[in-house]
Amino acid sequence: MLKWKELYDECLNCNKCELKNSRNNMVFGEGNPRSRLMFIGEAPGADEDRLGRPFVGRAGMLLTKGLTALDLIRERDYYICNICKCRPENNRTPNEVEAEACLPYLRNQVALIKPKIIICLGSTAMKYILGSDWRITRDRGKWIERKGCYIMPTFHPAALFRDESKKILFWQDLKSVKRKFDELRNDL
Ligand code: SF4
């Protein structure tokens, strides 16, 4: 397992998959690595690729706004990153080869952070973290305990722009995250 700085440098210089050709910036992750709450999305979008920061575009701002309303602050309370560290062209879903190439970096991040709570944002994160038997519309909002870590899938915030009806369910899920965070606060 690499330490934080070594891991960052390895990602920065990585050319293990084709996404190296479409990225402007590698997007490693952001937030408090000492918090035990982690959000994991799919891959950087255009704004994230331009700025080298995760979840800073329209969807990211919506997520941040919801979490801030619940007094969950990125710099203090959680760490956020993606399955893939580089942007696929036209925001397509990363393919399995790309995701599998990048997953060791995420596993290394998880091993360093040791989260007690992981939130999978969208079906791609859910698939690579929980497995392919799970369905986002059926299973979102459920807590799954694995080795003492509570994992919950929910919608990717970008999906809320395509289907407004998901906003209420997403908000319910964020409130559930806050309750779990408060419940486990002494362990976090
Ligand atoms: S997506 Fe991941 S594996 Fe692919 S080039 Fe970027 S850092 Fe490397």
Side-chain angles (χ1 to χ4, degrees):
M1 178 172 66
L2 297 177
K3 292 186 182 149
W4 210 248
K5 174 75 171 71
E6 297 161 341
L7 181 61
Y8 179 86
D9 288 344
E10 191 154 318
C11 290
L12 199 59
N13 297 312
C14 179
N15 55 11
K16 280 201 305 179
C17 85
E18 288 302 312
L19 298 186
K20 69 182 186 297
N21 298 321
S22 51
R23 72 172 175 228
N24 287 301
N25 283 297
M26 183 278 292
V27 181
F28 186 68
E30 194 170 273
N32 181 0
R34 282 178 297 283
S35 168
R36 311 292 292 278
L37 168 61
M38 251 183 120
F39 288 85
I40 301 173
E42 179 176 300
D47 293 313
E48 289 77 11
D49 177 61
R50 184 169 51 82
L51 297 168
R53 297 178 57 205
F55 286 87
V56 290
R58 194 163 74 122
M61 281 195 278
L62 186 67
L63 172 68
T64 304
K65 194 172 159 195
L67 292 174
T68 303
L70 294 166
D71 195 31
L72 289 173
I73 309 300
R74 188 179 291 199
E75 297 73 24
R76 184 188 68 197
D77 297 316
Y78 62 92
Y79 191 83
I80 188 161
C81 58
N82 286 299
I83 296 286
C84 281
K85 311 291 183 220
C86 306
R87 183 191 182 210
E89 68 282 1
N90 302 318
N91 292 348
R92 65 167 172 77
T93 303
N95 63 39
E96 294 217 357
V97 172
E98 293 155 352
E100 292 295 343
C102 214
L103 273 169
Y105 300 137
L106 177 67
R107 291 196 191 104
N108 201 142
Q109 286 175 306
V110 170
L112 289 168
I113 291 173
K114 301 185 190 72
K116 292 291 285 183
I117 305 170
I118 293 177
I119 309 304
C120 306
L121 295 167
S123 53
T124 300
M126 183 182 65
K127 173 180 163 184
Y128 290 105
I129 290 163
L130 285 172
S132 47
D133 293 340
W134 299 81
R135 296 286 170 271
I136 200 80
T137 43
R138 185 189 64 197
D139 298 317
R140 56 138 282 280
K142 290 181 186 168
W143 287 105
I144 299 115
E145 190 185 352
R146 286 199 181 161
K147 297 180 186 166
C149 179
Y150 293 87
I151 305 173
M152 187 181 80
T154 187
F155 298 122
H156 191 285
L160 310 183
F161 294 107
R162 295 190 290 271
D163 181 355
E164 289 256 325
S165 69
K166 289 181 171 147
K167 278 190 178 171
I168 290 175
L169 298 171
F170 185 68
W171 178 239
Q172 282 175 10
D173 293 348
L174 292 192
K175 286 197 287 187
S176 179
V177 174
K178 171 64 171 166
R179 282 196 297 277
K180 185 66 80 181
F181 182 83
D182 287 342
E183 190 186 308
L184 298 175
R185 186 174 284 278
N186 292 338
D187 297 334
L188 296 175

